[in-house]
Amino acid sequence: MAISSETIAKLERDFAAIVGAAHVRAAIGAESRCASVVVTPADAGEISEIVRRCEADRIILAPFGAARALAEIRLAPAAIAVSLARLDRIVAYEPDDMTVVAAAGVTLAALNAATAARGQWLPVDPPRPELTTLGAMVAAARFGPSRLSEGIVRDLLIGVRFVGHDGRIVHGGGNVVKNVAGYDLMKVMTGSFGTLGIITETTFRVRPLPARRLIACAGFADLDSAYAAAANLHDAVPLLHLEVTSPSVSAALHIGAGFALIAGFGGAAPEADYLRVRIPELLGVNNEILDGAAAIARYERIRDFDLPASAAVALIAAPPAELPAILAATPGEFIAHAGSGVARLFLAALDADELGRIVAAIRDRARRVRGHVRVMRVASELRGEIRRFDNPPAAAMTLMRRMKTTFDPRGIFNPGCFVGGL
Amino acid sequence: MPTGAHASLDSATVAELRAILGDDAIVSRPTELKVYECDGWTIEKNAPELLLRPRSAAEISAVLKLLDRRAIAFVPRGAGTGLSGGCLPVGAPVMICTSRLNRILAIDYANRRVEVESGVVNLHVSNAVRGRGFFYAPDPSSQMACTIGGNIAENSGGPHTLKYGVTTNHVLGLEIVLPDGEIAELGGPTEERLGYDLVGAIVGAEGTAGIVTRATLRLTREPEARRTLLAIFADVEAATRAVSAIIASGVIPGAIEMMDQLIIEAVEAAFHAGLPRDAGAVLIIELDGIAAALDAEARAVGELARSSGAREVRFARDEAERATLWKARKRAFGAVGRLAPNYATQDGVVPRTRLPEILREIAQIARRHALRIGNVFHAGDGNIHPIVLYDERDPDETRRAIAAGREILRACVAMGGSLTGEHGIGVEKISEMPLIFSPDDLIVMSELRRVFDPAQRANPNKVIPAPGGCVEVAAPRRQAAL
Amino acid sequence: MASAPKSDSSPPVAQRPRARPLRDVVDYELLFDCVHCGLCLEACPTYVVTRAEMDSPRGRVYLMKALAEGALDLDADAVRHLDLCLECRGCETACPSGVRYGKLIERAREYVERNVRRPWRERIRNRLIAALFPYPARLRILLTPITAADRLGMRPLIRKLAPAAMRDWLDLIPPRAAPPPMVLAPPSAASAAAPAAVVHHGCVAKVLTNAENLNTEGALAAAGYRVARMGRTVCCGALDLHHGNFARAKQFARANIREFQRLGDAAILSAASGCAAAIAAYGDLLADDPEFAAPAREVSARVADLGTLMLARDYRFTREFRAAVTYHDSCHLAHGLGVREAPRQLLRAIPGVTLIELNEADLCCGSAGSYNLTERAMARELVRRKADNILATGADYVVLGNPGCELQIAAELRRRGAPVRVIHLADFLALAIRGANA
């Protein structure tokens, strides 16, 4: 969407009236892929006014935290970006109840710094927690290795507040860990990529930090034996996380030159001590056990792992036992969350056509086992026409369309980049 | 909000339904309909005008298409074990019962999935996979009878959900017949959702999105071992301190259940589980995980209980002792049936640290209304189940029981809690919804409902109170209940 | 939302109790033990088959309550759903609230019989059952032509010619080709110090499965019991209780009680668990009888079961008996008397026996006294389910504790040509004690 400089100037004036001139600016860097103007409101009340204004004037907006997720999926910039940067307060942390209420602009790293003092954490561990705001984490349903043992956003989010159409400030759920009153708006907002409203506040249940964290690594010549070992381990003992990596990823993580299995484990002392002995037995040959700081460092490298030079990064989801066959048939490197049937693929391609063919082939294989693929990132020179999301089945798509038009009747919330062009 | 008026049932429609389903799937005579007039929430009663007992999603689809054309509202029902009147017809002449959709369709151990029809009984899922070392984690106390479809409607929990999560954490995909008769396949066998989380929106929607006919559920690996402890306390306060101490220590037990004195008395009368009748409260604590580590963990937990004031801690020595404790807990509600002709079970939630406060408040409410109220609940997550005893033949006592129930819910909300942890809003708590949700919240929720059911014909008048003076709307019904 | 008509949105509520005088359907106070939780549903064989609330214990209790309160009239539907109950009391095992369902349904049936005039076919059938079954001599006469036909190999022909309604009945009578059950040596005189036990020989059992009576006595003797014999045996009364004929049931009970009293403190057994459960309920049945209330209670308390008594004497099997065995819980043994583990434990104690657990082991097989003669369709459905479960175990023997179940299950397995042998626990013990392998 090309916007003239006069329009931009008008937008800046209009929104300055709501948030103050100091909090309206032109987009810079990656932000400019999201929008032309960045508005940084102070609270939900201002966001509500912004939304009403946008609805009245049909101005397309896109909410963002650090602008990373959004920059990847928006193919054309919106008129304005609503930055949650000033909604950065931890509202209430109740360590004894193990719940925390925090504004959407709080980063995961900041949240975990606050809870670590009480030996707790929010165990959703996407890459780069210092760059991940809670709002973005929820909206993009981001996750990390600990999904195996602790679940994902939808399992831990117990309350949500967002600004919806008509500027309504809406909340769902509450502050208690078990609650079935009313419709589950947390599920609705999780993974909705800013298309239904602007998340302003989140309430999570937090969990005890593992008293000890250890990591077992083992190298394998082929994918099948790595996966067989992973399945065997997963069946035998409780793990914190379980990854299988392709050779280049293994090498980058300094775990040999072949396929690797990485298993996190730990917990309280008796359990950790037992697993320290039991897991090497189960793995058999050439394994390495990391403990203490080395284990934490390795865990963080796995969590944050990236191959920045990739032409594209895709997320594949399949029934767990079907994933290895798809990975084996796919050119590219990967880090697979073996117990969950989810993998990040790092694809290489010369041009947009080749990338398109590769992605289409993976999509096809995933679809045959009722899985799906999401393209999370494409190198800027190849952005082209790569579809980010698979198409849901027709009946589901009909409901999703209704969901979008119900929650966003005027079509202003980050339109055009979600499933089926929503 | 125009919703399209609901029509009443006429004989031509009944004849067409008969043609779709056959005689044996239609129940229309008053004597037979009588037994469908309430579920586990018996204070309010209303029989449907017609009960349908279809065998498949295709039949349900044909039925709903017809009802949609005729603008007739319906209410889905599973086994009728709900505790909030979720399947009570309120303005819906037709009831559709899923109890005949009871096949387990596929068990996929490699992917830890099971696909079942929605009328399959919760416990039957676990029974089918136990031999291979798996179970289906959500375990409501009614699990020997309640259906997966009902669990999905209510987002049911259970004692072991402290560690393992509730229904919504275990439903990956489902097939639903929407109120217009369309069959939609949502979610799937993967752990990641594609597009909006429609499955997440339907689980817990109390049957207002349509009729779920099939579900893909996650199977959980049976823990290698379990240790079950019984900790005995002089009072509820000390027991609550123990709960906080245990959880703060970093241990997440499989379950922590509390029973107060009144419940202990009822349970002992029924099952002779060996609970001390003079105790003020007991905790049943279950730890699960690796056998080699559990004994040390159990000892540590036992120590924490003692240092929090437990006068005695007993360890179940074998599976039989464990089974006795759990039988006592799971059947506590029923055991209370022996103490009074009727009871109403509440389902409030408070932040765990407020448990002593809410229990004191409940005791005061009981005194104020001259009622007996017992407490058995999931202490680990602050989900209380006060059981208010009354005799339906005493109108005044019944009125007091209802009033006490409402006061308890208000107290929960005042302490930052919620109206329901696992039983659902149903008809029971619909008038209390404005206590925790603003008009804007309720408007958006009713919009969400209309995504699935634009004409609001699936289980009408549930979950969200009619706008404007909700509390008053429901009041005459309560009166009539007496 | 506002569109829902106001009158519709307020569910009218059940009639106030006591708006009308209570009808004498059941002991009204007992109905309030039921809290409508529904935990009984899947424990009820008829619900498991029909999956309809009115065929569940909770539904039937609800019907009884509505009948008692006058909210319902005793119409054909009410009668049908009460009739369909097997009285297996599986619901009592499941019930957390201690509802005395068996007692409720017996009373309700009496009310039905007092107030409903049944179609002539049913009347004749029920009278025949009542006139024949409690009297072994009459039953033997009835069976003479069938035994004769079997001798001439004409059973298949008779079966073919018989009306459909008779075929299921005919199938129940074991053909002569069945291997004669091993009979243990009659008990020899035991020391006077040994504990005493007496076996009630029943009526149908005496005619069709008398070996079970004798083997029960033989096994008891082998375990060191002093086996007493009843001078005169009359029907236990269970049949009449199922059919709402309380007067004759009480008459039978009194006769049996007098006889049991004569035998001092001997433990009372029956090879038919239905009879044992009926005797165990004499205390209840005659609670209001000034003369018999106390002796009835005393007799009821003496009821025991073979498995428990054998274990109590720590009986050791000396020979190996190699067999794959599964165990079916007869309703009145499991749900009525609460005997589940003892027979299993006893079977496991036999060297060479592998006990394979039966799926839905305690779900009624459909025999239920004379139920398989009066509710044929449901009885057939249940026995099919039972046979499926039995065949899935791959066992050679299905052991059980009631001749009714034995006839019913054996008939179905014969119809399928399945080689599984249905055998009473006492007969199986006889094989194991003698050490003969089949």
Side-chain angles (χ1 to χ4, degrees):
Chain A
M1 204 185 317
I3 299 183
S4 67
S5 52
E6 299 93 273
T7 317
I8 290 177
K10 181 173 186 309
L11 285 173
E12 287 181 349
R13 273 196 311 280
D14 288 353
F15 289 104
I18 299 172
V19 300
H23 303 295
V24 179
R25 58 176 172 80
I28 47 164
E31 289 174 354
S32 52
R33 291 221 293 267
C34 307
S36 316
V37 176
V38 177
V39 181
T40 310
D43 55 27
E46 287 187 4
I47 295 176
S48 172
E49 276 189 65
I50 293 169
V51 165
R52 280 198 299 271
R53 184 58 185 263
C54 288
E55 288 195 309
D57 296 347
R58 302 267 160 168
I59 298 166
I60 287 175
L61 66 80
F64 73 51
R68 293 191 312 146
L70 196 65
E72 285 308 329
I73 68 163
R74 274 223 71 87
L75 296 181
I80 69 159
V82 179
S83 164
L84 279 299
R86 289 168 73 201
L87 279 76
D88 61 351
R89 207 164 64 86
I90 295 174
V91 179
Y93 171 41
E94 304 290 347
D96 293 332
D97 293 325
M98 299 177 81
T99 58
V100 61
V101 187
V106 172
T107 64
L108 185 56
L111 184 78
N112 282 334
T115 55
R118 299 295 301 262
Q120 296 174 352
W121 70 317
L122 171 57
V124 184
D125 52 354
R128 310 295 301 272
E130 70 285 3
L131 297 179
T132 305
T133 61
L134 299 177
M137 185 177 87
V138 171
R142 299 176 81 96
F143 61 85
S146 298
R147 63 179 298 153
L148 181 72
S149 49
E150 300 281 7
I152 47 183
V153 169
R154 78 189 297 280
D155 301 312
L156 295 155
L157 183 69
I158 56 173
V160 70
R161 211 171 273 277
F162 65 95
V163 178
H165 74 89
D166 292 339
R168 286 183 206 281
I169 300 175
V170 181
H171 103 276
N175 297 336
V176 283
V177 296
K178 197 169 173 190
N179 186 3
V180 296
Y183 290 92
D184 197 335
L185 297 176
M186 289 71 72
K187 302 291 184 292
V188 170
M189 297 310 287
T190 301
S192 65
F193 284 84
T195 61
L196 302 178
I198 302 175
I199 298 169
T200 57
E201 189 181 286
T202 57
T203 306
F204 285 97
R205 57 197 300 180
V206 292
R207 306 283 268 187
L209 274 162
R212 263 173 83 193
R213 185 182 276 286
L214 295 92
I215 285 187
C217 300
F220 296 87
D222 58 275
L223 177 60
D224 284 349
S225 24
Y227 240 91
N232 184 32
L233 211 55
H234 186 34
D235 261 4
V237 289
L239 299 169
L240 298 177
H241 58 89
L242 177 63
E243 275 65 46
V244 170
T245 55
S246 64
S248 294
V249 177
S250 311
L253 290 165
H254 311 295
I255 317 170
F259 292 91
L261 173 155
I262 305 158
F265 61 97
E271 186 174 343
D273 289 342
Y274 168 79
L275 292 174
R276 177 81 175 72
V277 177
R278 181 75 184 123
I279 287 177
E281 283 170 11
L282 288 162
L283 284 174
V285 290
N286 64 6
N287 59 75
E288 173 198 15
I289 302 284
L290 303 176
D291 200 345
I296 290 168
R298 176 71 57 88
Y299 156 73
E300 287 175 354
R301 292 206 56 190
I302 297 160
R303 181 193 68 196
D304 295 343
F305 186 81
D306 195 5
L307 288 176
S310 306
V313 179
L315 179 75
I316 178 165
E322 319 297 339
L323 190 57
I326 300 175
L327 294 176
T330 301
E333 301 297 323
F334 62 82
I335 178 164
H337 303 291
S340 313
V342 174
R344 269 192 295 154
L345 295 172
F346 304 95
L347 303 172
L350 294 173
D351 55 34
D353 281 353
E354 188 189 3
L355 184 61
R357 279 196 300 279
I358 292 171
V359 170
I362 305 169
R363 285 211 152 111
D364 187 50
R365 282 191 206 98
R367 197 162 31 235
R368 274 187 250 147
V369 293
R370 299 177 63 207
H372 51 92
V373 172
R374 195 176 105 207
V375 177
M376 301 170 80
R377 191 179 79 208
V378 179
S380 46
E381 68 277 14
L382 302 175
R383 283 173 72 81
E385 291 302 298
I386 300 290
R387 191 152 47 81
R388 294 309 199 260
F389 295 89
D390 274 10
N391 288 325
M397 195 61 229
T398 305
L399 289 171
M400 290 182 199
R401 253 188 219 107
R402 267 197 237 156
M403 182 93 100
K404 173 70 175 172
T405 50
T406 302
F407 277 75
D408 182 17
R410 290 169 201 87
I412 60 151
F413 290 119
N414 194 26
C417 55
F418 193 45
V419 289
L422 294 179
Chain B
M1 270 183 289
T3 60
H6 299 164
S8 55
L9 193 62
D10 57 276
S11 56
T13 308
V14 177
E16 279 185 67
L17 289 168
R18 208 173 279 281
I20 293 169
L21 295 174
D23 281 343
D24 84 313
I26 303 241
V27 176
S28 58
R29 290 188 299 272
T31 300
E32 298 190 316
L33 291 170
K34 177 87 182 163
V35 300
Y36 286 90
E37 70 181 14
C38 60
D39 57 9
W41 168 256
T42 56
I43 287 187
E44 287 159 273
K45 292 166 184 162
N46 189 27
E49 292 170 39
L50 190 72
L51 170 76
L52 307 180
R53 308 195 327 109
R55 281 150 295 224
S56 67
E59 285 187 349
I60 293 176
S61 168
V63 165
L64 293 194
K65 279 180 180 158
L66 175 65
L67 296 183
D68 186 50
R69 279 201 299 282
R70 301 284 157 83
I72 294 168
F74 63 90
V75 51
R77 186 188 203 262
T81 58
L83 292 165
S84 60
C87 63
L88 184 83
V90 185
V94 177
M95 177 181 275
I96 300 174
C97 183
T98 56
S99 63
R100 290 166 98 181
L101 279 75
N102 67 333
R103 289 176 305 159
I104 294 177
L105 300 169
I107 303 175
D108 178 356
Y109 292 109
N111 287 307
R112 302 190 177 187
R113 309 279 186 263
V114 57
E115 198 171 350
V116 300
E117 290 186 320
S118 59
V120 166
V121 171
N122 173 301
L123 187 61
H124 294 183
V125 180
S126 286
N127 287 347
V129 299
R130 189 162 291 129
R132 293 281 298 268
F134 289 92
F135 70 113
Y136 174 62
D139 60 339
S141 295
S142 56
Q143 71 180 136
M144 60 198 273
C146 62
T147 65
I148 293 296
N151 294 171
I152 288 172
E154 304 299 329
N155 190 11
S156 305
H160 289 88
T161 54
L162 172 64
K163 179 166 184 172
Y164 293 100
V166 296
T167 300
T168 194
N169 307 112
H170 297 272
V171 178
L172 292 164
L174 48 81
E175 177 191 75
I176 184 170
V177 184
L178 295 167
D180 62 5
E182 287 302 315
I183 299 178
E185 181 95 33
L186 306 175
T190 65
E191 302 269 338
E192 279 289 293
R193 314 278 151 159
L194 171 60
Y196 297 124
D197 188 353
L198 298 171
V199 172
I202 289 170
V203 176
E206 306 199 16
T208 61
I211 299 185
V212 171
T213 47
R214 195 152 46 81
T216 304
L217 309 174
R218 179 186 285 130
L219 295 176
T220 305
R221 194 95 176 116
E222 283 266 17
E224 189 179 293
R226 295 189 171 91
R227 295 288 182 274
T228 307
L229 293 72
L230 178 73
I232 300 158
F233 298 86
D235 53 49
V236 165
E237 265 85 354
T240 313
R241 273 200 306 275
V243 173
S244 292
I246 291 162
I247 292 180
S249 76
V251 175
I252 304 243
I256 306 185
E257 301 289 298
M258 198 189 299
M259 296 192 256
D260 75 0
Q261 218 235 314
L262 187 70
I263 303 294
I264 294 169
E265 191 191 306
V267 162
E268 269 312 292
F271 310 116
H272 313 290
L275 305 181
R277 284 180 191 244
D278 61 335
V282 297
L283 288 178
I284 297 174
I285 306 164
E286 185 158 287
L287 304 165
D288 60 25
I290 296 166
L294 272 183
D295 285 326
E297 201 168 273
R299 270 195 306 276
V301 165
E303 256 336 290
L304 285 170
R306 269 192 208 98
S307 60
S308 308
R311 69 171 206 219
E312 190 187 342
V313 178
R314 296 181 197 162
F315 295 81
R317 275 164 304 190
D318 52 30
E319 189 51 34
E321 286 193 6
R322 172 180 181 259
T324 306
L325 283 178
W326 276 111
K327 183 175 170 188
R329 165 60 190 89
K330 287 234 170 182
R331 297 180 166 200
F333 293 105
V336 171
R338 299 174 195 233
L339 296 186
N342 303 85
Y343 70 74
T345 308
Q346 303 291 326
D347 177 41
V349 195
V350 292
R352 191 179 51 238
T353 49
R354 310 292 291 268
L355 279 173
E357 244 175 292
I358 190 72
L359 293 172
R360 272 195 300 274
E361 183 70 35
I362 291 170
Q364 275 169 23
I365 290 169
R367 267 194 299 280
R368 205 154 56 231
H369 292 283
L371 290 165
R372 285 196 297 167
I373 302 181
N375 289 286
V376 50
F377 56 92
H378 314 307
D381 38 33
N383 183 191
I384 57 169
H385 291 312
I387 302 178
V388 184
L389 307 184
Y390 68 100
D391 184 339
E392 69 176 22
R393 292 163 293 181
D394 177 344
D396 186 60
E397 189 168 88
T398 310
R399 233 187 315 274
R400 282 183 278 130
I402 294 170
R406 294 177 147 210
E407 284 173 33
I408 291 170
L409 290 180
R410 278 170 192 275
C412 288
V413 172
M415 289 177 196
S418 175
L419 300 171
T420 171
E422 53 189 3
H423 295 174
I425 294 295
V427 291
E428 180 202 3
K429 294 173 281 270
I430 191 164
S431 53
E432 275 74 26
M433 282 290 274
L435 294 178
I436 54 170
F437 292 115
S438 73
D440 273 352
D441 299 341
L442 294 173
I443 285 169
V444 168
M445 286 183 187
S446 81
E447 286 174 348
L448 172 60
R449 183 219 161 115
R450 287 207 298 275
V451 166
F452 300 98
D453 182 18
Q456 306 201 37
R457 294 210 183 92
N459 207 6
N461 304 302
K462 297 288 171 66
V463 188
I464 297 168
C470 321
V471 177
E472 281 67 36
V473 168
R477 194 158 74 223
R478 308 289 162 145
Q479 294 294 323
L482 309 175
Chain C
M1 277 234 136
S3 63
K6 203 146 196 128
S7 60
D8 269 359
S9 63
S10 320
V13 170
Q15 286 76 2
R16 289 289 330 284
R18 291 193 185 154
R20 278 163 268 202
L22 288 177
R23 293 182 188 145
D24 181 28
V25 180
V26 287
D27 182 344
Y28 185 64
E29 285 301 314
L30 288 184
L31 292 170
F32 287 87
D33 290 336
C34 176
V35 296
H36 215 257
C37 66
L39 263 58
C40 54
L41 297 179
E42 295 290 331
C44 175
T46 58
Y47 179 83
V48 164
V49 170
T50 71
R51 312 206 69 73
E53 180 80 20
M54 47 277 185
D55 295 323
S56 77
R58 178 174 70 169
R60 292 191 186 103
V61 169
Y62 210 76
L63 285 176
M64 292 177 212
K65 189 150 177 265
L67 287 170
E69 289 170 355
L72 271 188
D73 288 325
L74 188 61
D75 59 9
D77 285 322
V79 172
R80 188 158 54 88
H81 294 298
L82 292 174
D83 274 357
L84 201 63
C85 173
L86 294 136
E87 291 194 41
C88 69
R89 294 163 69 185
C91 50
E92 291 190 15
T93 299
C95 181
S97 306
V99 173
R100 300 181 68 188
Y101 180 85
K103 203 171 156 134
L104 286 168
I105 187 77
E106 273 175 7
R107 281 285 301 279
R109 288 218 156 130
E110 194 209 3
Y111 176 79
V112 170
E113 294 315 315
R114 269 192 280 123
N115 290 283
V116 166
R117 186 168 167 81
R118 292 184 180 275
W120 65 269
R121 277 169 183 277
E122 282 181 33
R123 288 206 307 275
I124 290 177
R125 183 195 64 200
N126 290 351
R127 277 205 199 141
L128 268 176
I129 291 172
L132 287 171
F133 282 29
Y135 305 101
R138 298 181 196 172
L139 205 57
R140 279 199 194 98
I141 294 169
L142 178 81
L143 289 176
T144 312
I146 298 167
T147 338
D150 274 355
R151 210 168 288 142
L152 299 169
M154 281 169 60
R155 167 90 74 108
L157 181 70
I158 295 183
R159 189 177 185 278
K160 212 169 156 189
L161 294 174
M166 291 292 295
R167 250 176 246 156
D168 289 2
W169 294 38
L170 270 174
D171 285 353
L172 290 174
I173 301 161
R176 282 172 53 83
M182 183 90 50
V183 175
L184 288 173
S188 48
S191 87
V198 57
V199 178
H200 182 279
H201 283 208
C203 25
V204 181
K206 199 149 134 190
V207 178
L208 289 176
T209 56
N210 198 41
E212 290 160 18
N213 290 327
L214 306 179
N215 282 333
T216 303
E217 291 173 342
L220 287 168
Y225 287 90
R226 186 162 49 82
V227 177
R229 279 272 170 86
M230 295 177 80
R232 174 171 166 268
T233 303
V234 300
C235 170
C236 65
L239 193 71
D240 287 329
L241 289 174
H242 282 262
H243 291 280
N245 184 355
F246 275 37
R248 192 170 73 172
K250 287 179 181 171
Q251 213 177 305
F252 284 148
R254 289 191 199 98
N256 279 318
I257 289 167
R258 270 192 290 268
E259 190 61 23
F260 286 132
Q261 278 186 298
R262 195 181 61 77
L263 297 171
D265 61 353
I268 299 167
L269 291 91
S270 167
S273 60
C275 304
I279 298 167
Y282 280 175
D284 256 0
L285 181 66
L286 295 172
D288 298 328
D289 185 315
E291 189 191 339
F292 277 88
R297 270 199 308 279
E298 182 262 330
V299 162
S300 289
R302 275 161 54 194
V303 171
D305 69 282
L306 182 58
T308 307
L309 290 193
M310 297 292 283
L311 291 173
R313 296 291 291 184
D314 205 12
Y315 182 76
R316 294 288 157 96
F317 295 88
T318 49
R319 302 171 198 231
E320 188 179 59
F321 184 75
R322 300 185 72 82
V325 175
T326 191
Y327 179 77
H328 158 78
D329 284 290
S330 298
C331 295
H332 286 91
L333 201 53
H335 307 304
L337 300 172
V339 177
R340 292 159 175 276
E341 265 315 299
R344 289 178 166 86
Q345 215 177 315
L346 193 62
L347 289 169
R348 279 192 216 101
I350 301 170
V353 165
T354 317
L355 182 66
I356 306 160
E357 267 307 320
L358 176 64
N359 188 30
E360 299 181 338
D362 66 350
L363 195 76
C364 181
C365 64
S367 165
S370 59
Y371 187 92
N372 46 2
L373 308 181
T374 56
E375 296 288 347
R376 290 170 39 242
M378 178 59 74
R380 267 305 272 281
E381 190 57 43
L382 287 170
V383 78
R384 274 192 208 115
R385 197 175 172 104
K386 184 59 72 180
D388 288 345
N389 281 323
I390 289 169
L391 295 178
T393 63
D396 311 316
Y397 290 86
V398 49
V399 177
L400 36 69
N402 187 42
C405 311
E406 182 189 337
L407 299 181
Q408 167 87 346
I409 296 171
E412 176 64 17
L413 292 173
R414 270 199 304 277
R415 277 192 290 266
R416 297 188 184 200
V420 185
R421 181 150 171 218
V422 185
I423 187 166
H424 190 279
L425 177 68
D427 288 351
F428 191 80
L429 293 183
L431 294 178
I433 290 170
R434 285 216 176 163
N437 229 341

